[in-house]
Amino acid sequence: MTSVRQPVSTLALKEWAVAVKALGEGKQIITVRKGGLYEETREFRLENDTFYLYPTYEHQKPEMVKEEYHPMLEATLAGWSPEKTTVEIGYFAHITDDIELMDEAKLRALAPYHIWTDNFADVRLHWKKKQPLHILFARVYRLAQPVTIPIDEAYKGCKSWHHLLQEIGQGDFAPVLTDEEYEAKRTAIMQVLNG
């Protein structure tokens, strides 16, 4: 694996808190994107291959998360409320692969490798039908010292990317999965996609 550095840029990808938790615990290595409702380009673009993960809470839907991951979803909501004024940044991701997918059968075959229901995957695939889904393979790193930042109005809304208004200090971090663990999961998913 190439050596990865903590992002110097404050670029962050917004993702459901339960998905950030799953990525951060090594339960999955992929995330599925098609674009936020208000993307400037109306489609998803990988703006950088290394970025922070910004957990969002307000749009998480239990019916879109597999039942066995409901305790994980509930854990992300413990202590959260719409009035909360801060968010914790604990992870950054390095994207090793960005695979475009329009094949429903292959998307269904990815089910063992993520926390979402088939319904969630279908909704993502069928929204903006002519545009492919991006299957992002994320090598995730845990910051030794998570950073708590104020939630700014700029972070709200349905956009995939934003720049954090506060710098994240450079410090120690560690991969969530070993090189071997990550490569084994990546290989298994690639076999599904290339099958």
Side-chain angles (χ1 to χ4, degrees):
M1 290 279 169
T2 54
S3 70
V4 171
R5 295 182 171 193
Q6 183 179 340
V8 176
S9 162
T10 59
L11 185 68
L13 178 70
K14 290 171 70 173
E15 185 59 270
W16 284 5
V18 66
V20 172
K21 188 170 177 57
L23 290 163
E25 293 180 4
K27 302 244 187 291
Q28 71 183 46
I29 65 163
I30 57 171
T31 192
V32 180
R33 306 302 294 201
K34 197 174 249 191
L37 292 176
Y38 304 113
E39 296 309 326
E40 294 83 351
T41 61
R42 308 299 280 160
E43 63 187 53
F44 180 79
R45 285 210 177 114
L46 189 62
E47 292 199 8
N48 198 319
D49 66 1
T50 308
F51 47 81
Y52 293 100
L53 294 171
Y54 182 101
T56 61
Y57 299 84
E58 48 276 327
H59 300 301
Q60 298 188 111
K61 295 181 177 133
E63 66 272 17
M64 296 291 193
V65 175
K66 291 175 191 162
E67 201 166 323
E68 63 263 37
Y69 294 106
H70 281 191
M72 184 182 282
L73 174 62
E74 288 158 17
T76 69
L77 294 172
W80 180 82
S81 81
E83 290 76 44
K84 197 158 168 63
T85 59
T86 60
V87 67
E88 185 176 277
I89 307 296
Y91 303 98
F92 70 89
H94 174 73
I95 301 304
T96 61
D97 305 272
D98 176 4
I99 307 296
E100 293 188 355
L101 181 68
M102 295 188 83
D103 183 328
E104 190 163 351
K106 285 185 179 179
L107 182 62
R108 291 277 175 149
L110 291 178
Y113 302 102
H114 60 70
I115 64 168
W116 300 297
T117 61
D118 285 344
N119 187 35
F120 174 92
D122 291 348
V123 167
R124 285 272 168 111
L125 183 64
H126 294 298
W127 183 61
K128 297 182 180 178
K129 282 189 176 191
K130 293 184 178 164
Q131 294 177 10
L133 274 178
H134 289 258
I135 310 298
L136 302 179
F137 288 68
R139 182 84 196 269
V140 176
Y141 297 81
R142 181 182 294 107
L143 298 178
Q145 293 293 321
V147 178
T148 300
I149 63 171
I151 297 173
D152 192 271
E153 278 299 314
Y155 303 156
K156 297 178 181 174
C158 295
K159 287 174 68 173
S160 299
W161 301 102
H162 59 76
H163 281 276
L164 304 175
L165 299 180
Q166 178 177 323
E167 294 291 323
I168 305 288
Q170 299 290 298
D172 292 336
F173 60 87
V176 167
L177 298 172
T178 66
D179 288 354
E180 294 75 20
E181 289 169 331
Y182 181 80
E183 198 49 47
K185 287 179 183 260
R186 179 183 172 277
T187 299
I189 296 168
M190 281 297 188
Q191 284 173 345
V192 170
L193 292 172
N194 295 328

